[in-house]
Amino acid sequence: MRKLVILSLLVSLTACKGTAQKEKKESFEVNKTEAEWKASLTSEQFYILREEGTERPFSSELLNIKKEGTYVCAACETPVFKSNTKFDSGTGWPSFYDYIEGNVAFSTDQKLGYTRNEEHCATCGGHLGHVFDDGPKPTGKRHCINGDALKFVPAN
């Protein structure tokens, strides 16, 4: 009996180690193979956008941009954040208190042992970063975004 209990426990534990959480089941307007993404992105962009990685804090050139413009997804150029919503959070990542409605999608991840709200591009599914409830007014949100997931397009 004890062996049966141990065996069923082992089976249930290994069954939970699938990749279903990692695979986004949604379909996106822009779809490419892994090879196509690798060919069109830098290695840093691929790591962040396609493998849900995180860049080192304070490493993004986008932290110092103060110009008016739009931040777009580095993978598909979908506009995701406006410069007038950017603020200095002190965290080392570009931060915004709001996003462009319809262009950012949300899911959850538990990679650090607790639930976080993940943000990704609604057009290509690329991982952008995470959103937290410690931002400034008017939303109270801090969209903590990897600079390598974005490109800045200055206003005319």
Side-chain angles (χ1 to χ4, degrees):
M1 180 68 171
R2 182 176 176 180
K3 288 181 182 180
L4 184 58
V5 170
I6 292 172
L7 180 60
S8 32
L9 179 60
L10 287 173
V11 168
S12 68
L13 288 174
T14 56
C16 293
K17 291 186 179 182
T19 60
Q21 285 184 334
K22 195 171 181 188
E23 297 170 12
K24 289 183 171 66
K25 294 183 180 179
E26 307 165 55
S27 78
F28 297 98
E29 184 180 323
V30 173
N31 286 299
K32 294 182 181 183
T33 65
E34 184 173 342
E36 289 170 328
W37 283 122
K38 282 185 176 181
S40 65
L41 300 169
T42 67
S43 59
E44 294 85 4
Q45 289 170 329
F46 183 84
Y47 170 66
I48 303 234
L49 289 158
R50 307 316 306 169
E51 296 180 329
E52 300 177 353
T54 301
E55 67 195 10
R56 285 185 352 261
F58 301 101
S59 65
S60 175
E61 294 176 6
L62 300 182
L63 282 172
N64 300 319
I65 294 178
K66 307 281 189 232
K67 300 176 189 172
E68 186 179 332
T70 305
Y71 293 85
V72 302
C73 172
C76 69
E77 299 190 353
T78 295
V80 288
F81 300 99
K82 297 265 186 198
S83 62
N84 64 345
T85 66
K86 185 178 177 203
F87 70 98
D88 183 0
S89 66
T91 61
W93 290 278
S95 297
F96 305 84
Y97 64 79
D98 209 355
Y99 61 98
I100 297 176
E101 188 74 35
N103 293 355
V104 176
F106 301 90
S107 60
T108 57
D109 80 46
Q110 297 183 340
K111 293 177 193 156
L112 299 179
Y114 60 93
T115 302
R116 296 184 299 171
N117 293 317
E118 178 189 0
E119 293 184 70
H120 57 273
C121 174
T123 303
C124 71
H127 171 76
L128 300 173
H130 294 86
V131 61
F132 302 96
D133 292 325
D134 60 359
K137 291 181 180 181
T139 64
K141 301 292 183 185
R142 174 174 52 95
H143 299 262
C144 189
I145 307 301
N146 291 287
D148 279 326
L150 303 174
K151 291 180 187 174
F152 178 70
V153 179
N156 292 336

